[in-house]
mmCIF file of all heavy atoms in Angstrom:
data_model
loop_
_atom_site.group_PDB
_atom_site.id
_atom_site.type_symbol
_atom_site.label_atom_id
_atom_site.label_comp_id
_atom_site.label_asym_id
_atom_site.label_seq_id
_atom_site.Cartn_x
_atom_site.Cartn_y
_atom_site.Cartn_z
ATOM 1 N N GLY A 30 50.327 -141.636 -92.488
ATOM 2 C CA GLY A 30 49.655 -141.804 -93.767
ATOM 3 C C GLY A 30 50.613 -142.117 -94.899
ATOM 4 O O GLY A 30 51.817 -142.302 -94.690
ATOM 5 N N SER A 31 50.050 -142.169 -96.097
ATOM 6 C CA SER A 31 50.819 -142.528 -97.289
ATOM 7 C C SER A 31 50.586 -141.526 -98.408
ATOM 8 O O SER A 31 49.523 -140.904 -98.492
ATOM 9 C CB SER A 31 50.419 -143.919 -97.782
ATOM 10 O OG SER A 31 50.674 -144.906 -96.818
ATOM 11 N N LEU A 32 51.589 -141.394 -99.254
ATOM 12 C CA LEU A 32 51.492 -140.623 -100.487
ATOM 13 C C LEU A 32 52.318 -141.333 -101.549
ATOM 14 O O LEU A 32 53.289 -142.037 -101.222
ATOM 15 C CB LEU A 32 52.038 -139.200 -100.313
ATOM 16 C CG LEU A 32 51.163 -138.137 -99.648
ATOM 17 C CD1 LEU A 32 51.958 -136.845 -99.490
ATOM 18 C CD2 LEU A 32 49.897 -137.888 -100.455
ATOM 19 N N ARG A 33 51.920 -141.104 -102.785
ATOM 20 C CA ARG A 33 52.693 -141.656 -103.908
ATOM 21 C C ARG A 33 53.067 -140.503 -104.841
ATOM 22 O O ARG A 33 52.180 -139.824 -105.379
ATOM 23 C CB ARG A 33 51.902 -142.710 -104.660
ATOM 24 C CG ARG A 33 52.693 -143.409 -105.758
ATOM 25 C CD ARG A 33 51.864 -144.496 -106.411
ATOM 26 N NE ARG A 33 52.588 -145.215 -107.457
ATOM 27 C CZ ARG A 33 53.373 -146.260 -107.237
ATOM 28 N NH1 ARG A 33 53.515 -146.729 -106.011
ATOM 29 N NH2 ARG A 33 53.992 -146.858 -108.242
ATOM 30 N N LEU A 34 54.355 -140.304 -105.023
ATOM 31 C CA LEU A 34 54.855 -139.294 -105.944
ATOM 32 C C LEU A 34 55.185 -139.943 -107.280
ATOM 33 O O LEU A 34 55.692 -141.073 -107.313
ATOM 34 C CB LEU A 34 56.108 -138.624 -105.382
ATOM 35 C CG LEU A 34 56.002 -137.993 -104.001
ATOM 36 C CD1 LEU A 34 57.328 -137.326 -103.635
ATOM 37 C CD2 LEU A 34 54.869 -136.993 -103.938
ATOM 38 N N SER A 35 54.914 -139.216 -108.342
ATOM 39 C CA SER A 35 55.261 -139.695 -109.675
ATOM 40 C C SER A 35 56.057 -138.627 -110.412
ATOM 41 O O SER A 35 55.850 -137.433 -110.193
ATOM 42 C CB SER A 35 54.000 -140.038 -110.467
ATOM 43 O OG SER A 35 53.346 -141.155 -109.918
ATOM 44 N N CYS A 36 56.944 -139.082 -111.274
ATOM 45 C CA CYS A 36 57.758 -138.184 -112.077
ATOM 46 C C CYS A 36 57.722 -138.673 -113.511
ATOM 47 O O CYS A 36 58.159 -139.795 -113.799
ATOM 48 C CB CYS A 36 59.194 -138.174 -111.564
ATOM 49 S SG CYS A 36 60.357 -137.276 -112.602
ATOM 50 N N ALA A 37 57.170 -137.856 -114.388
ATOM 51 C CA ALA A 37 57.076 -138.199 -115.806
ATOM 52 C C ALA A 37 58.198 -137.518 -116.562
ATOM 53 O O ALA A 37 58.405 -136.307 -116.436
ATOM 54 C CB ALA A 37 55.725 -137.758 -116.353
ATOM 55 N N ALA A 38 58.917 -138.316 -117.353
ATOM 56 C CA ALA A 38 60.042 -137.805 -118.126
ATOM 57 C C ALA A 38 59.628 -137.552 -119.575
ATOM 58 O O ALA A 38 58.722 -138.200 -120.098
ATOM 59 C CB ALA A 38 61.209 -138.784 -118.086
ATOM 60 N N SER A 39 60.332 -136.631 -120.213
ATOM 61 C CA SER A 39 59.984 -136.257 -121.591
ATOM 62 C C SER A 39 60.570 -137.211 -122.618
ATOM 63 O O SER A 39 60.312 -137.065 -123.814
ATOM 64 C CB SER A 39 60.457 -134.829 -121.875
ATOM 65 O OG SER A 39 61.860 -134.715 -121.674
ATOM 66 N N ARG A 40 61.378 -138.167 -122.145
ATOM 67 C CA ARG A 40 61.908 -139.157 -123.065
ATOM 68 C C ARG A 40 62.118 -140.462 -122.313
ATOM 69 O O ARG A 40 61.973 -140.536 -121.095
ATOM 70 C CB ARG A 40 63.211 -138.677 -123.689
ATOM 71 C CG ARG A 40 64.374 -138.536 -122.728
ATOM 72 C CD ARG A 40 65.543 -137.852 -123.395
ATOM 73 N NE ARG A 40 66.802 -138.080 -122.699
ATOM 74 C CZ ARG A 40 67.809 -137.240 -122.739
ATOM 75 N NH1 ARG A 40 67.718 -136.124 -123.420
ATOM 76 N NH2 ARG A 40 68.934 -137.523 -122.104
ATOM 77 N N SER A 41 62.477 -141.506 -123.059
ATOM 78 C CA SER A 41 62.617 -142.827 -122.463
ATOM 79 C C SER A 41 63.585 -142.811 -121.287
ATOM 80 O O SER A 41 64.654 -142.216 -121.343
ATOM 81 C CB SER A 41 63.133 -143.813 -123.510
ATOM 82 O OG SER A 41 63.463 -145.047 -122.902
ATOM 83 N N ILE A 42 63.181 -143.495 -120.214
ATOM 84 C CA ILE A 42 64.056 -143.546 -119.035
ATOM 85 C C ILE A 42 65.282 -144.409 -119.283
ATOM 86 O O ILE A 42 66.212 -144.405 -118.478
ATOM 87 C CB ILE A 42 63.276 -144.019 -117.790
ATOM 88 C CG1 ILE A 42 62.758 -145.436 -117.966
ATOM 89 C CG2 ILE A 42 62.145 -143.060 -117.477
ATOM 90 C CD1 ILE A 42 62.082 -145.984 -116.716
ATOM 91 N N PHE A 43 65.300 -145.133 -120.405
ATOM 92 C CA PHE A 43 66.494 -145.895 -120.760
ATOM 93 C C PHE A 43 67.662 -144.973 -121.105
ATOM 94 O O PHE A 43 68.801 -145.410 -121.148
ATOM 95 C CB PHE A 43 66.217 -146.819 -121.942
ATOM 96 C CG PHE A 43 65.584 -148.123 -121.557
ATOM 97 C CD1 PHE A 43 64.433 -148.571 -122.193
ATOM 98 C CD2 PHE A 43 66.125 -148.919 -120.563
ATOM 99 C CE1 PHE A 43 63.844 -149.776 -121.835
ATOM 100 C CE2 PHE A 43 65.555 -150.122 -120.203
ATOM 101 C CZ PHE A 43 64.408 -150.556 -120.845
ATOM 102 N N THR A 44 67.368 -143.710 -121.365
ATOM 103 C CA THR A 44 68.435 -142.770 -121.690
ATOM 104 C C THR A 44 69.105 -142.208 -120.441
ATOM 105 O O THR A 44 70.066 -141.452 -120.548
ATOM 106 C CB THR A 44 67.895 -141.602 -122.530
ATOM 107 O OG1 THR A 44 66.951 -140.858 -121.741
ATOM 108 C CG2 THR A 44 67.218 -142.108 -123.786
ATOM 109 N N PHE A 45 68.591 -142.581 -119.270
ATOM 110 C CA PHE A 45 69.159 -142.083 -118.020
ATOM 111 C C PHE A 45 70.024 -143.154 -117.354
ATOM 112 O O PHE A 45 69.677 -144.321 -117.352
ATOM 113 C CB PHE A 45 68.043 -141.676 -117.049
ATOM 114 C CG PHE A 45 67.062 -140.704 -117.633
ATOM 115 C CD1 PHE A 45 65.701 -140.899 -117.452
ATOM 116 C CD2 PHE A 45 67.491 -139.605 -118.340
ATOM 117 C CE1 PHE A 45 64.783 -139.997 -117.974
ATOM 118 C CE2 PHE A 45 66.583 -138.698 -118.872
ATOM 119 C CZ PHE A 45 65.223 -138.906 -118.697
ATOM 120 N N ASN A 46 71.120 -142.736 -116.772
ATOM 121 C CA ASN A 46 71.940 -143.655 -115.992
ATOM 122 C C ASN A 46 71.231 -144.045 -114.705
ATOM 123 O O ASN A 46 71.349 -145.165 -114.221
ATOM 124 C CB ASN A 46 73.281 -143.023 -115.662
ATOM 125 C CG ASN A 46 74.045 -142.642 -116.897
ATOM 126 O OD1 ASN A 46 74.147 -141.472 -117.225
ATOM 127 N ND2 ASN A 46 74.548 -143.622 -117.622
ATOM 128 N N ALA A 47 70.516 -143.093 -114.142
ATOM 129 C CA ALA A 47 69.794 -143.322 -112.897
ATOM 130 C C ALA A 47 68.735 -142.244 -112.736
ATOM 131 O O ALA A 47 68.836 -141.157 -113.316
ATOM 132 C CB ALA A 47 70.739 -143.292 -111.698
ATOM 133 N N MET A 48 67.725 -142.571 -111.958
ATOM 134 C CA MET A 48 66.707 -141.599 -111.584
ATOM 135 C C MET A 48 66.501 -141.683 -110.083
ATOM 136 O O MET A 48 66.773 -142.719 -109.456
ATOM 137 C CB MET A 48 65.386 -141.864 -112.306
ATOM 138 C CG MET A 48 65.463 -141.699 -113.804
ATOM 139 S SD MET A 48 63.850 -141.805 -114.608
ATOM 140 C CE MET A 48 63.130 -140.214 -114.152
ATOM 141 N N GLY A 49 66.051 -140.588 -109.524
ATOM 142 C CA GLY A 49 65.875 -140.622 -108.081
ATOM 143 C C GLY A 49 65.021 -139.492 -107.581
ATOM 144 O O GLY A 49 64.524 -138.659 -108.354
ATOM 145 N N TRP A 50 64.833 -139.504 -106.280
ATOM 146 C CA TRP A 50 64.092 -138.465 -105.578
ATOM 147 C C TRP A 50 64.987 -137.863 -104.499
ATOM 148 O O TRP A 50 65.650 -138.587 -103.757
ATOM 149 C CB TRP A 50 62.838 -139.052 -104.931
ATOM 150 C CG TRP A 50 61.795 -139.451 -105.912
ATOM 151 C CD1 TRP A 50 61.624 -140.677 -106.500
ATOM 152 C CD2 TRP A 50 60.772 -138.608 -106.452
ATOM 153 N NE1 TRP A 50 60.562 -140.647 -107.360
ATOM 154 C CE2 TRP A 50 60.018 -139.395 -107.351
ATOM 155 C CE3 TRP A 50 60.400 -137.269 -106.269
ATOM 156 C CZ2 TRP A 50 58.928 -138.886 -108.065
ATOM 157 C CZ3 TRP A 50 59.315 -136.772 -106.962
ATOM 158 C CH2 TRP A 50 58.595 -137.579 -107.843
ATOM 159 N N TYR A 51 64.985 -136.554 -104.477
ATOM 160 C CA TYR A 51 65.677 -135.799 -103.448
ATOM 161 C C TYR A 51 64.639 -134.951 -102.723
ATOM 162 O O TYR A 51 63.539 -134.739 -103.229
ATOM 163 C CB TYR A 51 66.735 -134.883 -104.072
ATOM 164 C CG TYR A 51 67.949 -135.607 -104.590
ATOM 165 C CD1 TYR A 51 67.877 -136.421 -105.720
ATOM 166 C CD2 TYR A 51 69.185 -135.468 -103.960
ATOM 167 C CE1 TYR A 51 69.003 -137.080 -106.205
ATOM 168 C CE2 TYR A 51 70.322 -136.122 -104.438
ATOM 169 C CZ TYR A 51 70.217 -136.923 -105.564
ATOM 170 O OH TYR A 51 71.334 -137.568 -106.026
ATOM 171 N N ARG A 52 65.001 -134.459 -101.567
ATOM 172 C CA ARG A 52 64.098 -133.565 -100.851
ATOM 173 C C ARG A 52 64.892 -132.461 -100.160
ATOM 174 O O ARG A 52 66.064 -132.627 -99.841
ATOM 175 C CB ARG A 52 63.255 -134.321 -99.831
ATOM 176 C CG ARG A 52 64.028 -134.916 -98.655
ATOM 177 C CD ARG A 52 63.096 -135.769 -97.802
ATOM 178 N NE ARG A 52 63.785 -136.346 -96.654
ATOM 179 C CZ ARG A 52 63.257 -137.243 -95.833
ATOM 180 N NH1 ARG A 52 62.006 -137.687 -96.048
ATOM 181 N NH2 ARG A 52 63.948 -137.694 -94.814
ATOM 182 N N GLN A 53 64.198 -131.356 -99.966
ATOM 183 C CA GLN A 53 64.818 -130.223 -99.288
ATOM 184 C C GLN A 53 63.814 -129.603 -98.342
ATOM 185 O O GLN A 53 62.764 -129.100 -98.769
ATOM 186 C CB GLN A 53 65.324 -129.186 -100.294
ATOM 187 C CG GLN A 53 66.135 -128.083 -99.661
ATOM 188 C CD GLN A 53 66.875 -127.251 -100.692
ATOM 189 O OE1 GLN A 53 66.565 -127.271 -101.877
ATOM 190 N NE2 GLN A 53 67.886 -126.528 -100.230
ATOM 191 N N ALA A 54 64.137 -129.648 -97.066
ATOM 192 C CA ALA A 54 63.312 -129.032 -96.037
ATOM 193 C C ALA A 54 63.813 -127.600 -95.805
ATOM 194 O O ALA A 54 64.976 -127.290 -96.096
ATOM 195 C CB ALA A 54 63.391 -129.840 -94.748
#
Protein backbone atom coordinates (compact mmCIF):
# COMPACT_ATOMS: atom_id res chain seq x y z
CA GLY A 1 0.00 0.00 0.00
CA SER A 2 0.79 3.70 0.06
CA LEU A 3 0.92 6.52 2.57
CA ARG A 4 1.78 10.18 2.31
CA LEU A 5 3.48 11.93 5.22
CA SER A 6 3.47 15.69 5.55
CA CYS A 7 5.53 17.99 7.72
CA ALA A 8 4.41 21.57 8.32
CA ALA A 9 7.03 24.06 9.44
CA SER A 10 6.43 27.13 11.58
CA ARG A 11 8.40 29.33 9.21
CA SER A 12 9.48 29.52 5.59
CA ILE A 13 11.37 26.46 4.41
CA PHE A 14 13.77 28.85 2.68
CA THR A 15 15.32 29.35 6.10
CA PHE A 16 16.42 25.71 6.18
CA ASN A 17 19.54 24.32 4.56
CA ALA A 18 17.76 21.01 4.10
CA MET A 19 14.72 19.08 5.22
CA GLY A 20 14.24 15.39 5.45
CA TRP A 21 12.59 12.35 6.92
CA TYR A 22 14.20 9.92 9.30
CA ARG A 23 12.76 6.79 10.85
CA GLN A 24 13.38 4.70 13.91
CA ALA A 25 12.18 1.14 14.32
